[in-house]
Amino acid sequence: MRVLGIETSCDETGVAVFDSRCGVLAQALHTQVDLHAVYGGVVPELASRDHIRLLPVLIRQTLRETGLDVADLDAVAYTAGPGLAGALLVGASVAEAMAMSAGIPALPIHHLEGHLLSPLLSDDPPAFPFVALLVSGGHTQLMRVADVGDYELLGETLDDAAGEAFDKTAKILGLGYPGGPQLAALASRGEAGRFKLPRPMLRSGDFDFSFSGLKTAVLNVVSSPDWRPEYQANLAADFQQAVVDVLTAKTMAALEHTGMRALVVAGGVGANRALRAGLDAAVARIGARVHYPAPELCTDNGVMIAFAGAQRLVRGELPPADLAIRVRPRWPLAELIRPAD
């Protein structure tokens, strides 16, 4: 099965071709960081326009690298949600038009499922079942994954996601966009333990998260009369360590609860070195294993969408045969998962 994947959920334009026998044949990715940096965050209208400008170029480039035509594809997969409505519509419209012209299926894919399955593309892929930590700018969730499409939600954030808290805290500290990576870089130059920041819901007895209060605690420190700019790196280090402590503790509790010894970490925050170090050490202590996607697959990309589409296609899962263009800016992952026992 050869599937072309299109990702346009936010501020990355991603295209890839995945072959179920040969793996990734080609991929292209464009980030809009420079476009949005001047505004300090993503501007939805500008994001949509940039997708319109670049998506046809990246599709032609990717197909040219594979030596394939649209007629050689078995399906076109695209991110249908969640994400920015206008950005999603760009990818969905192009994908549906390509599929209709070639007489092949167009597969709407959940963005988080793409992230969830991306570690299966690594050189050392995990075997089902496993616990998955999805941690990104918009989502923080713990899942039990038995197979493709067989998911159980264990817990999720009740307010700010971990990546969102990173970005908001970076803004409090006066860092530029994108804030998360800049805060992590600043934290690497600081020393944790100088500030007493909370570990929200660390002992809540469940698998849910909350990071809004942690962000507020940083704001209170910066707003205090004792604050000095030279404390910035240490405060960043303490904030990052608080997030790592909570994510690690909850994840280890999920492994113990399920009795599993395989952990998958996916999403943009999964590339954070401090988080990886914390999880690596924790799972080693119990004889478990942790799997990460390749660094280039931690960000939004077309490969994960093409791969998720291929997995759905080989299982015979096809969308309705009509001309509707369906996007879901707010698409709960719970709609893809079975209820918890």
Side-chain angles (χ1 to χ4, degrees):
M1 297 288 185
R2 293 170 176 167
V3 179
L4 184 139
I6 294 174
E7 158 61 28
T8 62
S9 64
C10 189
D11 58 346
E12 270 94 24
T13 311
V15 178
V17 175
F18 178 80
D19 188 311
S20 57
R21 292 175 298 179
C22 306
V24 180
L25 301 183
Q27 62 173 308
L29 181 67
H30 170 77
T31 179
Q32 300 176 1
V33 167
D34 292 341
L35 176 66
H36 300 292
V38 66
Y39 303 101
V42 176
V43 180
E45 177 66 19
L46 295 181
S48 300
R49 293 181 181 184
D50 209 51
H51 289 312
I52 292 172
R53 180 176 67 90
L54 281 170
L55 186 55
V57 176
L58 297 184
I59 290 174
R60 286 195 295 269
Q61 173 186 326
T62 303
L63 288 177
R64 183 167 59 248
E65 290 180 12
T66 64
L68 300 174
D69 294 321
V70 177
D72 298 317
L73 301 172
D74 295 290
V76 179
Y78 63 93
T79 301
L84 302 175
L88 292 170
L89 281 169
V90 175
S93 300
V94 171
E96 293 283 355
M98 289 180 63
M100 182 176 64
S101 68
I104 56 178
L107 307 172
I109 300 298
H110 196 292
H111 178 77
L112 293 184
E113 185 174 42
H115 277 302
L116 181 69
L117 299 178
S118 61
L120 297 176
L121 288 163
S122 67
D123 294 334
D124 182 24
F128 295 110
F130 53 79
V131 168
L133 173 64
L134 292 173
V135 55
S136 67
H139 303 85
T140 302
Q141 297 173 320
L142 279 166
M143 310 283 298
R144 179 187 182 277
V145 180
D147 201 345
V148 175
D150 187 356
Y151 314 131
E152 176 187 344
L153 179 65
L154 300 175
E156 60 186 339
T157 186
L158 304 180
D159 42 55
D160 289 352
E164 185 179 5
F166 262 89
D167 289 338
K168 290 180 177 179
T169 299
K171 193 169 186 178
I172 292 171
L173 294 178
L175 304 180
Y177 172 84
Q182 293 202 31
L183 189 145
L186 178 63
S188 68
R189 303 195 297 271
E191 182 180 347
R194 299 299 182 94
F195 296 92
K196 294 183 178 180
L197 298 181
R199 269 61 174 167
M201 298 187 70
L202 185 64
R203 296 176 176 85
S204 61
D206 55 30
F207 307 112
D208 290 330
F209 303 89
S210 171
F211 294 106
S212 179
L214 178 58
K215 168 205 65 185
T216 302
V218 172
L219 178 61
N220 290 338
V221 171
V222 174
S223 302
S224 72
D226 297 327
W227 172 251
R228 299 289 184 273
E230 57 264 30
Y231 301 158
Q232 193 179 56
N234 290 336
L235 182 55
D238 270 314
F239 167 82
Q240 178 173 258
Q241 190 59 54
V243 173
V244 170
D245 288 349
V246 173
L247 290 174
T248 300
K250 294 278 186 173
T251 301
M252 298 310 295
L255 286 171
E256 181 180 1
H257 171 75
T258 60
M260 295 183 181
R261 288 295 179 267
L263 170 66
V264 159
V265 181
V269 182
N272 182 277
R273 292 182 179 180
L275 177 59
R276 290 195 175 201
L279 290 172
D280 287 344
V283 298
R285 286 193 292 268
I286 65 169
R289 295 193 62 193
V290 58
H291 301 263
Y292 305 98
E296 64 271 17
L297 298 185
C298 287
T299 186
D300 296 345
N301 61 87
V303 173
M304 68 182 191
I305 302 304
F307 179 70
Q311 300 309 301
R312 292 287 183 176
L313 191 62
V314 297
R315 285 163 172 76
E317 300 179 25
L318 297 175
D322 57 31
L323 300 180
I325 295 177
R326 299 177 178 86
V327 297
R328 301 282 301 277
R330 298 184 182 274
W331 188 2
L333 188 61
E335 293 186 9
L336 294 184
I337 65 181
R338 64 178 178 83
D341 294 332

